[in-house]
């Protein structure tokens, strides 16, 4: 009990605010809230007092324990605490039960009031419909013009339908309101007054103190932005027509209405006034009957509504057009006739060209220059196609020099000379003057250096006068939104308006403000939402944000939901939310198994007591009544005996109606499988009959599937088994890929087995060809030029080879096969023979000189060896050695070899080119 009480106390304490314990005098603890104020109730010397939330603090209990004796008084204190806790718990329990009872009674009262108002609302709707239908009983009555007024009147009668867009709250009957004359939207009087004052303040806040209050800035309507003057700020509560101040609350009148005739002028004004009683929204179209004729005045006058007094007889207009030649052929219409659509040939203003143009525009100009001789006789008119005389020559009379200081009287054939004086015209800078002499054409830019201030006035710089000076300092002033800085470089102070989006969430909590960043409150959300009944035929339009608190309208239509039971129709009742009431008709359902009718009442939505209900979490929870749920009960079983055939159609046996169903006779099925080679070995089972099949012994989809492999013979030459399981008919062609080598034995080819087995010799050679060049070498050493082929390569090499004479001097390019057949040979000529002779002489001379040199070397070695054998000293050997003198050939042979080679090459080149 104490634990439960502490749970309740902790929950209530969190709702009121976190409490903190603070020491105080009197050996007690005072409870203080978040603001430091003293809450009601404190723990003093007398014991435990009430605590916000209902729980006693441990500090208080401890203090009371310390004040009591440590002996036998401790159990008494504990019993007193439990008694006090139980008492407080009972008080809180009774308070909660009373609050819940009050809430239920209010809900029941509101429900009864709604049910009582249902007939009144139906009568009210008929009265409003009968009131406005009289506006459409005459000729050309337009019911669409009345929908807006009708909607406002209906919303005024409905409780909670009228909403103030500023505070997003309902407008009640006893509250002062203000209606906009532009959109007729209704606002609370305090809301619109605050809105107008805020708008005035935001508009006038950028002004200085001198200008404040001198200008009359308008303030807008929150919905339609219709602007009102400062003097139009509402200060008093008037009815809709503006006749009565503070209209009294009358339950028999439209809320906020005075009950008098409206008498407001119609818009657009027609001279009549509204005849309805004081009403919200715009006045309906003028219902007065007037006698008027059509636009073209040809038809007889007929009586029509004043709001639709302008009409067309649809006959041709017949009025003469502006061209003066044709008449208007359009049907009877309002306003002026359109331009003439006819086309005719017309001359231009100067008369040089003729073109087909619209009859409505007879005056037109061509693009040719006039070219007529001017009165001076020296120049021609340079104007493009014009009306009237060409005028005088523009160069005649007195003319000024370019600087406009001197005046000359010259013939038109001569140009005005310069006067020689200074130009002295003001330059583009507006400060300095041109210092050049009188000249033609524009003056040059000002190049004087001056001390310039930047646009914001914070920096100065000496620079040419014609160049502007903008500093890099960024403006830190806030823009008109008072949120974002200007951040414009060298700003002169007139910061532009903020160009960022506002993006704040509107009062509807569904959309964001799409306006540019601004000060003050955002405009109300302009969107509207339709709150519909369950079927959607009845709806009420409310401002965005009110759809969560607005009750759906009551629908007078019959419930169109399909019945939830098996019956085709249900008891008639009106459109509603939630589930329909249960059906009380007899079941009469045809049983699915036997076809008999069920005699029991409809049991598709029978009430069954709910099991496993929610267990109460504490003693404060009220015991609930037994809960029932709706569920469908099955029909009672049928006992009629019915003969039934087994699943495999082997036998027929009688079974009770409620147990009638497929059964197995435990026999082997025995039907022929789809492979047509085996039979089904399953126990008697259900077999689905195929309509197109006439064979009763054929297996169905429920029978076993033959899982054995195909045992049929394969085509000759195919080494692969059949890929299909056991099947009827012939085996499909083998589509497996065989890996074969091409004729050149380099590339592996993959060919379908059926192509190899069914191909002849030529096709096999073609399948074994890799389509590449044959890699084999011919006897001549070259590669075979044929595509991959079987057998030996054909010896027909046509590749070019170089053939030389025996001395390798003469060479020619010939076909390889001709060279191999010894059909062509190249013999040396006279030059080759002469070169061979000289080369042989040089070789003989070199061989002879080498032989003599070898002999001398051997002789020197022999003598040196003999001297060593004689035992002479090493110092005397050099003196006794025989000095061998080198010949000229030995000295200069290394220089003679390159020189001779160069001479031979030059001589051969000379002979070769001389012969050619």
């Amino acid at each position: 009990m104490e634990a439960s009480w502490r749970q309740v106390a902790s929950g209530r304490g969190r709702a009121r605010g976190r409490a903190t314990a603070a020491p105080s005098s009197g050996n007690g603890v005072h409870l203080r809230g978040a603001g430091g104020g003293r809450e009601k109730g404190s723990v003093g010397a007398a014991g435990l007092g009430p605590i916000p939330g209902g729980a006693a603090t441990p500090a208080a209990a401890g203090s009371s324990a310390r004040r009591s004796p440590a002996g036998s008084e401790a159990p008494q204190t504990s019993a007193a605490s439990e008694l006090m806790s139980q008492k407080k718990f009972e008080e809180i329990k009774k308070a909660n039960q009373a609050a819940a009872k009050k809430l239920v009674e209010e809900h029941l009262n509101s429900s009864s009031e709604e049910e009582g108002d249902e007939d009144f609302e139906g009568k009210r709707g008929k009265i409003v419909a009968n009131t406005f239908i009289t506006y459409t009983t005459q000729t050309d009555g337009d019911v669409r013009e009345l929908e807006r007024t009708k909607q406002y009147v209906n919303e005024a009668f409905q409780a909670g339908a009228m909403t103030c867009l500023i505070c997003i709250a309902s407008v009640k009957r006893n509250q002062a309101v203000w209606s906009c004359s532009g959109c007729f939207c209704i606002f609370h009087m305090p809301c619109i007054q605050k809105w107008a004052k805020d708008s005035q303040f935001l508009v006038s806040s950028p002004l200085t103190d001198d200008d404040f209050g001198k200008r009359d800035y308008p303030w807008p309507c929150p919905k339609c932005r219709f602007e009102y003057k400062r003097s139009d700020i509402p200060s008093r509560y008037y009815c809709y027509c503006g006749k009565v101040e503070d209209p009294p609350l009358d339950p028999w009148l439209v809320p906020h209405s005075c009950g008098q005739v409206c008498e407001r002028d119609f818009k657009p004004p027609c001279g009549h006034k509204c005849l309805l009683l004081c009403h919200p929204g715009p006045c309906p179209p003028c219902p007065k009957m007037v006698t008027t004729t059509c636009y073209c005045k040809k038809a007889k006058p007929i009586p029509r509504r004043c709001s639709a007094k302008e009409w067309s007889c649809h006959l041709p207009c017949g009025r003469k057009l502006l061209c003066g030649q044709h008449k208007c052929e359009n049907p009877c219409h309002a306003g002026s006739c359109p331009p003439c659509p006819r086309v005719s040939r017309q001359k231009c203003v100067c008369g040089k060209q003729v073109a087909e143009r619209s009859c409505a525009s007879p005056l037109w100009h061509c693009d040719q220059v006039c070219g007529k001789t001017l009165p001076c006789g020296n120049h021609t008119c340079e104007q493009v196609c014009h009306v009237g005389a060409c005028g005088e020559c523009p160069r005649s009379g007195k003319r000024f020099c370019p600087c406009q200081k001197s005046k000359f009287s010259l013939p038109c054939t001569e140009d005005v000379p310069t006067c020689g004086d200074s130009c002295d015209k003001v330059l583009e800078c507006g400060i300095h003057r041109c210092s050049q002499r009188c000249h033609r054409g524009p003056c040059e830019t000002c190049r004087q250096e001056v001390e310039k201030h930047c646009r914001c006035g914070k920096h100065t710089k000496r620079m040419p006068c014609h160049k502007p000076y903008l500093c890099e300092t960024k403006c830190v002033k806030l823009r008109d939104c008072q949120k974002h800085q200007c951040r414009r470089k060298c700003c002169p102070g007139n910061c532009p308006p903020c160009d960022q989006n506002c993006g704040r969430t509107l009062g509807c909590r569904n959309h964001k403000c799409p306006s540019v960043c601004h000060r003050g409150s955002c405009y109300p959300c302009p969107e509207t939402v339709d709150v519909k009944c369950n079927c959607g035929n009845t709806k009420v339009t409310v401002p965005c944000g009110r759809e969560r608190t607005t009750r759906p309208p009551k629908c007078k239509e019959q419930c169109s939901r399909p019945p939830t039971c098996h019956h085709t129709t249900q008891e008639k009742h009106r459109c509603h939310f939630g589930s329909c009431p249960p059906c009380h008709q007899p079941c009469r359902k045809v049983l699915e198994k036997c076809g008999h009718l069920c005699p029991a009442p409809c049991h598709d939505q029978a009430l069954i007591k709910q099991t496993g209900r929610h267990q109460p979490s504490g003693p404060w929870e009220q015991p609930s009544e037994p809960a029932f749920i709706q569920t469908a009960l099955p029909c009672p079983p049928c006992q009629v005996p019915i003969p039934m055939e087994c699943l495999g159609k082997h036998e027929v046996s009688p079974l009770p109606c409620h147990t009638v169903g497929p059964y197995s006779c435990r026999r082997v099925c025995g039907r022929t499988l789809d492979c047509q080679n085996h039979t089904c070995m399953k126990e008697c089972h259900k077999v689905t009959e195929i309509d197109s099949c006439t064979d009763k012994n054929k297996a169905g989809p429920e029978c076993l599937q033959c899982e054995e492999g195909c045992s049929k013979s394969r085509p000759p030459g195919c080494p692969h088994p059949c890929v299909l399981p056991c099947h009827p008919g012939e085996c499909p062609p083998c589509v497996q890929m065989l890996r074969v080598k091409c004729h050149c034995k380099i590339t592996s080819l993959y060919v379908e087995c059926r192509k190899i087995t069914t191909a002849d010799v030529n096709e096999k050679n073609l399948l074994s060809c890799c389509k590449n060049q044959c890699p084999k070498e011919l006897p001549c050493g070259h590669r075979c030029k044929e595509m991959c082929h079987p057998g030996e390569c054909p010896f027909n090499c046509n590749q070019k080879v170089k053939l030389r004479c025996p001395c390798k001097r003469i060479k020619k390019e010939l076909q390889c096969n001709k060279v191999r057949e010894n059909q062509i040979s190249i013999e040396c000529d006279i030059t080759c023979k002469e070169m061979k002779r000289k080369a042989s002489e040089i070789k003989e001379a070199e061989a002879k000189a080498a032989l003599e040199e070898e002999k001398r070397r051997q002789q020197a070695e022999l003598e040196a060896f003999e001297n060593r054998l004689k035992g002479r000293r090493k110092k005397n050997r050099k003196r006794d050695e025989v000095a061998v003198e080198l010949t000229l050939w030995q000295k200069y042979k290394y220089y003679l070899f390159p020189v001779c080679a160069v001479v031979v090459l030059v001589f051969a080149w000379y002979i070769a080119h001389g012969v050619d």
Side-chain angles (χ1 to χ4, degrees):
M1 180 66 69
E2 185 176 359
S4 303
W5 158 239
R6 288 181 178 177
Q7 292 178 2
V8 175
S10 62
R12 295 173 59 87
R14 284 194 297 269
R16 294 189 180 185
R18 184 174 297 176
T20 58
S24 65
S25 61
N27 296 329
V29 177
H30 293 288
L31 290 183
R32 300 182 183 271
R38 181 175 296 180
E39 299 290 341
K40 64 177 182 178
S42 62
V43 181
L48 294 175
I51 297 175
T57 60
S63 63
S64 62
R66 285 193 299 270
R67 288 193 304 270
S68 62
S72 60
E73 294 184 2
Q76 297 177 2
T77 304
S78 177
S81 299
E82 292 181 0
L83 183 62
M84 183 65 68
S85 300
Q86 181 67 25
K87 183 178 180 181
K88 294 298 180 183
F89 173 75
E90 294 295 336
E91 292 178 358
I92 295 174
K93 180 179 178 181
K94 291 179 180 179
N96 291 339
Q97 291 178 356
K101 184 177 180 181
K102 183 178 180 181
L103 180 63
V104 172
E105 290 177 355
E106 290 178 356
H107 178 71
L108 294 176
N109 292 337
S110 61
S111 301
S112 60
E113 289 177 1
E114 291 175 1
E115 293 175 358
D117 292 342
E118 185 173 344
D119 295 336
F120 173 74
E121 291 181 359
K123 295 179 181 179
R124 184 201 65 205
K126 294 180 180 179
I127 293 173
V128 173
N130 293 334
T131 301
F132 286 101
I133 200 171
T134 58
Y135 281 82
T136 59
T137 54
Q138 299 296 329
T139 307
D140 289 341
D142 190 1
V143 72
R144 293 176 299 177
E145 298 291 337
L146 304 174
E147 290 299 328
R148 193 176 177 190
T149 306
K150 187 177 180 180
Q151 178 183 356
Y152 275 95
V153 174
N154 282 329
E155 289 179 356
F157 279 113
Q158 292 180 5
M162 298 174 63
T163 305
C164 176
L165 295 181
I166 299 177
C167 62
I168 313 297
S170 299
V171 177
K172 299 182 180 180
R173 296 171 177 260
N174 57 351
Q175 293 176 337
V177 297
W178 175 83
S179 177
C180 175
S181 60
C183 61
F184 303 98
C185 188
I186 296 176
F187 305 93
H188 290 126
M189 181 65 69
C191 294
I192 195 62
Q193 289 175 348
K194 184 177 182 303
W195 175 273
K197 291 179 181 179
D198 292 346
S199 301
Q200 288 283 335
F201 175 76
L202 294 177
V203 172
S204 61
S205 58
L207 302 178
T208 60
D209 295 338
D210 298 336
D211 296 335
F212 183 78
K214 294 182 180 180
R215 299 183 62 182
D216 187 7
Y217 287 96
W219 57 274
C221 170
K223 182 178 181 181
C224 65
R225 311 301 195 265
F226 183 79
E227 293 184 349
Y228 293 90
K229 297 180 181 180
R230 180 191 295 270
S231 58
D232 295 334
I233 297 178
S235 59
R236 296 188 178 277
Y237 168 41
Y238 287 93
C239 63
Y240 297 114
C241 64
K243 295 179 181 180
V244 179
E245 181 181 351
D246 294 332
L249 178 61
D250 192 343
W252 299 103
L253 295 177
V254 177
H256 317 290
S257 171
C258 63
Q260 302 179 21
V261 179
C262 179
E263 292 186 351
R264 285 185 288 183
D265 294 335
F266 288 108
K267 294 181 181 180
C270 62
H272 304 119
K273 295 184 178 181
C274 180
L275 301 179
L276 288 178
L277 298 183
C278 182
H279 62 88
C283 295
C286 182
K288 291 285 186 179
M289 299 300 296
V290 294
T291 303
T292 58
T293 184
C294 63
Y295 296 113
C296 63
K297 312 298 182 184
K298 293 181 180 179
K300 294 181 180 180
I302 60 175
R304 294 178 60 86
R305 291 282 185 187
C306 182
S307 59
K309 59 185 176 182
E310 296 181 353
W311 60 286
S312 172
C313 63
H314 302 290
L315 296 176
C317 178
R319 284 183 284 187
K320 186 168 283 189
L321 300 175
L322 296 177
C323 64
Q325 299 179 4
H326 307 100
K327 293 183 179 181
C328 179
E329 298 178 356
N330 293 336
C332 178
H333 60 87
S336 302
C337 296
C340 183
R342 302 287 184 89
V343 177
S344 60
R345 294 182 62 82
Q346 301 173 7
K347 288 185 179 182
C348 64
V349 172
C350 64
K352 291 184 178 181
Q353 291 186 3
V354 178
E356 289 188 355
R357 294 180 56 83
S358 175
C359 187
S361 57
L363 296 178
W364 65 285
H365 299 265
C366 64
D367 55 355
Q368 293 186 4
V369 179
C370 178
K372 295 180 181 179
T373 304
L374 297 176
C376 66
N378 299 322
H379 302 94
T380 58
C381 179
E382 296 179 356
Q383 299 182 31
V384 180
C385 186
H386 63 88
V387 183
C390 297
E392 297 294 334
C393 179
R395 297 171 62 90
S396 62
K398 293 183 179 182
R399 290 176 285 170
F400 287 94
C401 66
C403 67
Q404 303 295 322
K405 290 183 179 180
S406 301
K407 200 172 186 180
F408 298 90
S409 295
L410 298 174
C412 64
T413 57
E414 296 182 9
D415 293 332
V416 177
T418 57
C419 65
D421 196 359
S422 61
C423 178
D424 207 28
K425 291 181 180 179
V426 179
L427 298 177
E428 293 181 356
C429 64
I431 302 174
H432 306 99
R433 294 180 177 272
C434 181
S435 60
Q436 295 182 353
R437 291 188 178 275
C438 180
H439 61 87
R440 293 182 176 86
C443 299
E444 63 179 5
T445 57
C446 182
R447 301 184 183 277
Q448 297 190 26
E449 288 193 357
V450 294
E451 192 77 17
K452 276 198 167 187
H453 289 272
C454 65
R455 188 169 60 182
C456 64
K458 295 182 179 179
H459 304 277
T460 58
K461 185 177 181 182
R462 191 167 185 83
M463 58 189 306
C465 182
H466 70 279
K467 291 184 178 179
Y469 176 37
L470 299 177
C471 67
E472 296 295 325
T473 305
K474 293 183 178 180
C475 181
V476 295
K477 292 183 180 179
L478 294 179
R479 297 193 179 185
D480 57 351
C481 65
Q482 298 298 319
K483 295 179 182 178
H484 304 101
Q485 291 183 347
C486 176
R487 307 301 295 170
R488 188 172 59 164
K489 292 184 179 180
C490 196
C491 179
N494 54 342
C495 301
C498 186
D499 55 353
Q500 300 187 26
N501 289 334
C502 178
R504 288 184 291 181
T505 303
L506 298 177
C508 64
R509 304 297 179 185
N510 296 328
H511 305 94
K512 293 186 177 182
C513 181
S515 304
V516 179
C517 186
H518 58 85
R519 290 185 294 174
S521 302
C522 298
Y523 280 100
C525 182
E527 303 292 334
T528 58
V529 181
D530 291 339
V531 179
K532 300 181 180 180
C533 66
N534 188 38
C535 65
N537 294 330
T538 306
K539 65 179 180 179
V540 58
T541 302
V542 298
C544 182
R546 289 283 296 173
E547 68 275 5
R548 292 184 288 270
T549 58
T550 303
R551 291 184 300 179
K554 294 183 179 180
C555 182
K556 306 302 185 296
E557 302 292 335
Q558 296 293 332
C559 180
S560 58
R561 293 183 184 179
T564 56
C565 61
H566 64 279
H567 294 102
T568 57
T569 59
Q570 61 178 345
E571 296 177 353
K572 294 184 179 181
H573 56 282
R574 291 186 179 181
C575 175
H576 60 90
F577 288 94
S579 58
C580 294
C583 178
H584 300 287
Q585 304 178 40
C587 179
R588 307 299 295 171
K589 185 186 297 183
V590 177
L591 299 179
E592 298 179 357
K593 297 181 180 179
C594 61
H596 300 101
L597 298 179
C598 178
C602 183
H603 45 79
D604 290 346
Q605 293 181 340
L607 292 176
I608 303 299
K609 188 175 181 180
Q610 185 179 4
T611 58
R613 293 165 50 209
H614 172 68
Q615 297 296 329
S617 58
W620 56 85
E621 229 180 279
Q622 285 287 344
S624 59
E625 297 294 332
F628 293 87
I629 58 173
Q630 290 183 348
T631 183
L633 297 179
C635 294
C638 185
Q639 299 295 333
V640 178
I642 302 296
M644 190 63 186
E645 192 175 16
C646 70
L647 294 174
K649 298 185 178 181
H650 302 121
E651 63 180 20
V652 177
S653 300
L655 297 175
C657 184
H658 70 278
T659 59
V660 165
Y663 72 99
S664 174
C665 64
R666 308 293 180 180
R667 300 179 184 177
V668 178
C669 178
R671 293 175 179 261
T672 304
L673 300 179
D674 293 337
C675 65
Q676 298 181 0
N677 300 323
H678 307 88
T679 57
C680 179
M681 301 302 295
K682 288 177 65 176
E683 188 180 291
C684 177
H685 60 87
K686 181 182 179 181
V687 179
T688 303
E689 297 290 345
I690 302 175
D691 297 338
S692 60
C693 180
T694 57
D695 190 3
K696 298 299 183 181
N697 292 327
K698 187 175 181 180
E702 296 82 5
C703 292
L704 288 174
Q705 299 293 330
C706 185
E707 298 179 356
E708 298 184 9
C710 180
S711 58
K712 297 182 181 180
S713 59
R714 302 296 295 159
C718 177
H720 308 103
C722 181
V723 297
L724 298 179
C726 184
H727 61 87
E730 297 293 333
C731 295
C734 184
V735 295
Q736 296 193 29
M737 306 301 289
L738 288 176
R739 182 179 177 181
V740 297
K741 288 286 186 179
C742 63
H743 299 297
C744 53
K745 307 301 182 181
I746 294 178
T747 307
S748 297
L749 302 178
Y750 290 90
V751 186
E752 290 185 358
C753 179
R754 60 179 181 180
K755 293 183 180 180
I756 291 292
T757 56
T758 59
D760 54 8
V761 177
N762 294 332
E763 290 180 353
K764 287 183 179 180
N765 292 336
L766 184 60
L767 292 174
S768 301
C769 179
C770 63
K771 310 298 181 183
N772 297 325
Q773 184 180 354
C774 180
K776 299 178 183 177
E777 289 188 357
L778 299 176
C780 61
H782 298 123
R783 185 177 176 180
C784 179
K785 299 294 183 179
E786 299 294 331
M787 193 181 296
C788 179
H789 60 87
E792 298 293 335
C793 298
F795 185 64
N796 55 351
C797 183
N798 294 326
Q799 188 170 347
K800 297 290 185 177
V801 297
K802 295 180 180 179
L803 187 63
R804 297 177 179 269
C805 64
C807 67
K808 309 298 182 180
R809 188 183 69 85
I810 302 174
K811 66 177 181 178
K812 293 183 180 180
E813 290 187 354
L814 302 172
Q815 292 184 356
C816 181
N817 55 356
K818 294 183 179 180
V819 174
R820 295 284 296 178
E821 294 174 359
N822 297 326
Q823 296 180 0
I824 299 175
S825 62
I826 301 176
E827 301 294 337
C828 294
D829 54 0
I830 298 174
T831 304
C832 296
K833 294 178 180 180
E834 185 65 22
M835 292 178 63
K836 285 181 180 180
R837 186 181 62 76
K838 291 182 178 181
S840 62
E841 290 178 357
I842 293 172
K843 289 183 179 181
E844 290 176 359
E846 292 178 353
K848 186 176 180 181
L851 184 60
E852 292 178 359
E853 179 66 23
E854 183 66 22
K855 287 181 179 181
R856 288 190 184 93
R857 187 179 62 77
Q858 292 177 0
Q859 183 64 29
E861 291 178 355
L862 180 62
E863 290 177 357
F865 181 73
E866 290 177 354
N867 291 334
R868 287 194 300 269
L869 293 177
K870 291 178 180 182
R872 293 181 179 182
R873 293 181 179 179
K874 193 174 184 180
K875 60 182 179 179
N876 296 328
R877 287 179 184 177
K878 186 180 289 186
R879 185 179 57 196
D880 295 337
E881 284 179 358
V882 178
V884 179
E885 186 179 358
L886 298 177
T887 62
L888 293 174
W889 172 255
Q890 291 175 345
K891 291 181 179 180
Y892 303 102
K893 64 181 180 179
Y894 296 106
Y895 302 96
L896 291 176
F897 281 136
V899 172
C900 293
V902 171
V903 171
V904 171
L905 292 174
V906 170
F907 182 75
W909 179 83
Y910 177 77
I911 292 175
H913 285 274
V915 172
D916 296 339

